[in-house]
Amino acid sequence: MSTRQRYMAELEEMNQNVIQMSTLIEESIGKVIHALKNKDSEAAHKIIEDDDAIDEMERKIESECITIIAKQQPVAKDLRRVTSIMRMISDIERIADHCADISEYIILLSKEEKIPLPMLVEDMLLKMKEMVMAAIDSFVNEDLEKAYYVKKEDDVVDHYFDQLLQDLCVAMKKDPESIRQYAYFIMIIKYIERMADHATNMAEWNIFIITGDL
């Protein structure tokens, strides 16, 4: 295999590993949605355990990126892709961390007398998941339009957060005995908002890969 062929093979392997890591995070978000809707503590524990696999993927891809930079000295778009992937996998890892953070609160909620899942929480979760998936699709297909779509939709998640925060504060006043549970939900929606921010970061790195504009 020539040096060029080896280089292209290394780039392709790295891209495939990013896609594999992205698949894991999509699955994790889906499990969070299920666990939260059902106050499923067993599922929440499993999400926390599975976070290690995503951490390991981040370390593996980061090592591949460093090796490619050191051995192959990529330039232009290839360099943008390798350096951007190093930032993107950090965002994916943080989204996974927030899946685990939310799962910690699901476990706490499962031990309380159940109150209904606040309105709009599921909508907020689904919108965030859509953003993450769109950011991943943008990377896989070099889809600039989809990257800009993700950036735009971050405002929708921010609006959900503001509305839910207001609704939860009102609920606390009406039902003081459930303040602790409402406080858990406030933490959960804050993590969802941060996950959307990380999806936006991923989209911005995709824009950089495609256009060179940082």
Side-chain angles (χ1 to χ4, degrees), residues 84 87-88 91 200-209 214:
S84 295
R87 301 298 296 270
M88 285 176 56
D91 283 306
T200 302
N201 289 346
M202 291 166 63
E204 290 175 343
W205 285 112
N206 288 331
I207 293 169
F208 177 58
I209 291 171
L214 183 60

Side-chain angles (χ1 to χ4, degrees), residues 14 17-18 20-22 24 50-66 82 84-97 198:
M14 181 182 63
N17 284 334
V18 174
Q20 182 182 347
M21 186 180 182
S22 300
L24 291 177
D50 290 346
D51 183 49
D52 290 341
I54 296 178
D55 291 342
E56 181 59 33
M57 284 296 298
E58 182 195 24
R59 288 190 289 269
K60 178 180 179 181
I61 297 168
E62 184 178 59
S63 177
E64 290 173 343
C65 290
I66 292 170
V82 174
S84 295
I85 282 174
M86 292 181 71
R87 301 298 296 270
M88 285 176 56
I89 60 173
S90 177
D91 283 306
I92 295 173
E93 190 273 336
R94 291 301 296 149
I95 292 171
D97 284 346
H198 286 296

Side-chain angles (χ1 to χ4, degrees), residues 143-205:
D143 188 331
L144 191 60
E145 182 178 345
K146 192 158 283 187
Y148 282 118
Y149 171 79
V150 173
K151 284 171 60 66
K152 178 175 67 70
E153 292 301 287
D154 189 46
D155 291 338
V156 177
V157 173
D158 289 342
H159 177 73
Y160 278 137
F161 176 78
D162 292 339
Q163 184 61 56
L164 277 163
L165 185 60
Q166 181 178 333
D167 292 347
L168 288 166
C169 288
V170 170
M172 285 179 172
K173 291 180 181 179
K174 290 183 177 179
D175 184 12
E177 293 184 0
S178 299
I179 281 179
R180 181 163 54 190
Q181 292 181 71
Y182 289 122
Y184 294 158
F185 281 119
I186 287 175
M187 295 302 300
I188 286 170
I189 63 171
K190 184 58 184 175
Y191 284 127
I192 298 170
E193 189 268 337
R194 288 178 180 173
M195 292 159 85
D197 287 343
H198 286 296
T200 302
N201 289 346
M202 291 166 63
E204 290 175 343
W205 285 112

Side-chain angles (χ1 to χ4, degrees), residues 105-118:
Y105 284 102
I106 293 171
I107 293 167
L108 292 173
L109 284 166
S110 71
K111 299 175 183 177
E112 301 278 353
E113 182 178 343
K114 294 183 179 180
I115 60 174
L117 183 68

